[in-house]
Amino acid sequence: MTVVDRPAVRLWTKPPPLPPRPPRRSLLHRESVAGYLLLTPWLTGLAAITVAPVLYSLALSFTDYNVITGELTWIGLANYERMFTADPRYWRSVQVTVMFVAVSVPLKLFIAMAVAALLNGRRRGAGTLRALVYLPSLLGVSVALAITWRTMFDTGGAVNQVLGVFGVPDRSWATEPDTALFTLILLAAWQFGGPMVIYLAAMRQIPADYAESARIDGASRWRILRSVTLPTLSPVILLTVVMETIAAFQGFTAAFVFGDGGGGPEDATLTYTLYLYLRGFAGLEMGYASAMAWAFLVAVGALTALIFWTSRWWVHYPGGRP
C-alpha cells in the first residue's frame, strides 16, 4: 500500500493587517494648535500689558530716565547703590511698611477669625448680621473712606468725642507723628470682611463629629478651638495670610490721603508704594522708581516663599500634605 504524503495542517494563520490609523502625535499636535489659537487673545494681552512693561521696567532700573525729555542714560547699578546706601527716606519707607504689615495683618486676621466664630451657627437673623458685618468691606480703601476715617480721628472728630467721655484729651490722632500710622493700621483692620467670609465658609465645612468627639472626651471650648478648629482651618489660614500680606505691602490710598500726598507727618505714613510714587511720578525719576519696584518684587516674593516654606510645620491637610 502506497503512503501518500499530505501537507501538514497549519493551526495558526496570520491575521489580516489592520487599516492604518492616523498617528497619535499629529492628533495631539492639532489639539495643541487649536488650544493655543483660542488662547491667542489672552496671551497677546499678557505679553503687551504685563510681560512687556515688566521687562521694560527692569531695563529702566539700570538707567537714568528723564520722563519729560525722554533722555535715557545707562548707569548700571547706580540706582540700586543709591537706594541701599544713600537714601535715608527709602529705609524710612521700608520701616513704616514693615511695621504696618507686621501689625495690621495679624490684627485683621484675628478680628476676622473671632467674628467668624461668633457668627458661625444657625440662629435667627444670622444672615442679616453677617451681611451687616461684611458691608464695610464692600467700600474698600477708597479716597472717600480714607478722608472720612481721617476726619473721625481728627481734632473734634467722632473718636475724640467718644474718648472725651472717659477723660482722654482731644488730639489729632491722624496728623500726629506718633499716632498717624496707628490710625492707618486700624483702618486696615476694619476691612476684615473678606477673610471673615472665608473663615466662616471654612468653619461651616468642618464636620460636627470632630468637636462632638472632643467634647465627649472632656475637652473645653478653648481646647477644641486650639486642637480641632485651628488645625482644620490651617490651609485656609495660610491662604488668607499670603493674600493679606501681599495686599498690605501694596497699601497706597490711605497713606496718600493721611499724609497729604507726601507721607507726613514727619514721614510717619511714608509707605513703600507711596515713596515709589513720589520718586517716579512726582520726582520724575522713573529709573530710580523702577529699581525700587524690582527690589519690592523680590522682597515680597521672598517673604511669600518663606511663608509657604514654614507652612510645613503648622498647616495640616486632610490625609497628609498634597
Side-chain angles (χ1 to χ4, degrees):
M1 183 177 182
T2 305
V3 179
V4 180
D5 295 334
R6 296 181 180 181
V9 179
R10 299 181 61 183
L11 300 178
W12 176 84
T13 57
K14 185 177 181 180
L18 297 175
R21 291 186 301 178
R24 185 175 179 83
R25 183 176 180 182
S26 62
L27 178 61
L28 294 177
H29 178 70
R30 289 198 299 270
E31 292 179 351
S32 300
V33 171
Y36 283 116
L37 287 177
L38 294 174
L39 287 174
T40 298
W42 181 84
L43 293 174
T44 303
L46 176 67
I49 301 176
T50 303
V51 177
V54 166
L55 296 179
Y56 184 60
S57 70
L58 178 61
L60 285 182
S61 68
F62 300 102
T63 65
D64 182 12
Y65 177 52
N66 191 315
V67 181
I68 303 299
T69 63
E71 296 181 1
L72 196 67
T73 305
W74 182 268
I75 59 176
L77 298 175
N79 284 326
Y80 294 93
E81 182 180 359
R82 171 190 171 191
M83 181 171 57
F84 292 128
T85 61
D87 190 356
R89 290 198 78 193
Y90 171 81
W91 289 110
R92 175 58 179 169
S93 69
V94 172
Q95 178 186 1
V96 170
T97 304
V98 170
M99 186 179 303
F100 174 77
V101 173
V103 178
S104 66
V105 172
L107 180 61
K108 181 177 184 178
L109 296 183
F110 174 79
I111 296 174
M113 179 72 72
V115 174
L118 292 175
L119 297 179
N120 184 29
R122 299 183 181 275
R123 55 179 62 93
R124 181 176 300 179
T128 303
L129 183 59
R130 293 167 190 164
L132 292 176
V133 172
Y134 180 72
L135 186 61
S137 298
L138 296 177
L139 302 176
V141 186
S142 60
V143 175
L145 178 61
I147 293 175
T148 303
W149 195 266
R150 176 175 173 174
T151 303
M152 290 173 56
F153 282 88
D154 209 344
T155 304
V159 174
N160 280 299
Q161 293 179 12
V162 174
L163 295 178
V165 178
F166 302 96
V168 179
D170 192 6
R171 59 185 298 185
S172 180
W173 301 88
T175 58
E176 294 185 7
D178 55 341
T179 57
L181 184 60
F182 173 72
T183 57
L184 280 181
I185 292 173
L186 289 181
L187 176 58
W190 185 65
Q191 302 284 322
F192 64 86
M196 183 269 295
V197 171
I198 296 176
Y199 289 149
L200 184 59
M203 289 179 181
R204 301 297 295 271
Q205 299 301 318
I206 299 177
D209 298 342
Y210 293 176
E212 186 64 26
S213 300
R215 193 175 297 110
I216 293 175
D217 292 337
S220 61
R221 290 186 177 182
W222 168 250
R223 184 59 185 270
I224 293 175
L225 175 65
R226 184 169 59 91
S227 301
V228 177
T229 305
L230 290 181
T232 308
L233 294 179
S234 57
V236 180
I237 295 175
L238 172 63
L239 170 67
T240 55
V241 167
V242 172
M243 292 175 54
E244 295 299 330
T245 299
I246 296 175
F249 271 108
Q250 297 175 341
F252 172 80
T253 304
F256 184 87
V257 172
F258 273 62
D260 296 323
E266 300 179 10
D267 290 343
T269 59
L270 185 66
T271 60
Y272 196 100
T273 51
L274 176 58
Y275 187 52
L276 190 153
Y277 164 81
L278 292 176
R279 285 297 187 184
F281 295 95
L284 301 179
E285 299 178 85
M286 198 58 65
Y288 188 73
S290 298
M292 289 184 59
W294 274 92
F296 180 74
L297 174 64
V298 172
V300 174
L303 179 60
T304 304
L306 179 62
I307 294 174
F308 276 106
W309 180 73
T310 59
S311 67
R312 67 182 66 185
W313 289 289
W314 59 274
V315 177
H316 307 278
Y317 295 94
R321 297 189 63 85

